[in-house]
Amino acid sequence: MSGRRVLFAEFTALPGEEETVAALLAGFAVQVRAERGCVEFAPFRLAEQPTRFFVYEVYRDDDAFAAHIGTRHGLEFNARLGPLIVEDGSQLTWLQPLGS
């Protein structure tokens, strides 16, 4: 087991789908926060660009992130999100903490 897994996910709603994406993401956030290995799941909409979404995520460890990826609600969310966004899925950026 390794240390915490920290990342952010970004995606852009297609024109006219912004509110659908926002509602879908808000519902998904409730489900993810209930996962045993989730430390934080904080979705945002960019203030200057309301079609852009940003999610800051922290999981207990690699196993917790793997469990998150395999949840039914995660698979359903990604299937529903795909046709509503510009990108081919969420764009993930992994973060590494500085210091100890």
Side-chain angles (χ1 to χ4, degrees):
M1 228 186 258
S2 66
R4 288 188 175 182
R5 297 295 289 168
V6 182
L7 70 138
F8 63 87
E10 296 179 278
F11 45 88
T12 309
L14 289 168
E17 299 294 353
E18 299 92 337
E19 298 311 317
T20 302
V21 169
L24 181 64
L25 184 55
F28 184 54
V30 172
Q31 294 173 308
V32 175
R33 290 178 186 137
E35 294 173 15
R36 282 187 37 217
C38 177
V39 175
E40 186 167 356
F41 188 89
F44 299 89
R45 180 183 241 171
L46 275 66
E48 300 85 24
Q49 196 176 4
T51 60
R52 294 282 296 158
F53 293 84
F54 175 95
V55 185
Y56 175 73
E57 304 178 46
V58 181
Y59 298 91
R60 183 184 63 236
D61 53 30
D62 288 334
D63 292 339
F65 181 73
H68 163 71
I69 292 299
T71 62
R72 178 177 293 178
H73 57 265
L75 297 171
E76 290 172 0
F77 171 80
N78 286 317
R80 291 180 63 196
L81 181 67
L84 303 173
I85 62 174
V86 172
E87 301 85 2
D88 184 24
S90 298
Q91 306 302 296
L92 304 182
T93 301
W94 294 97
L95 304 173
Q96 185 167 348
L98 298 176
S100 53

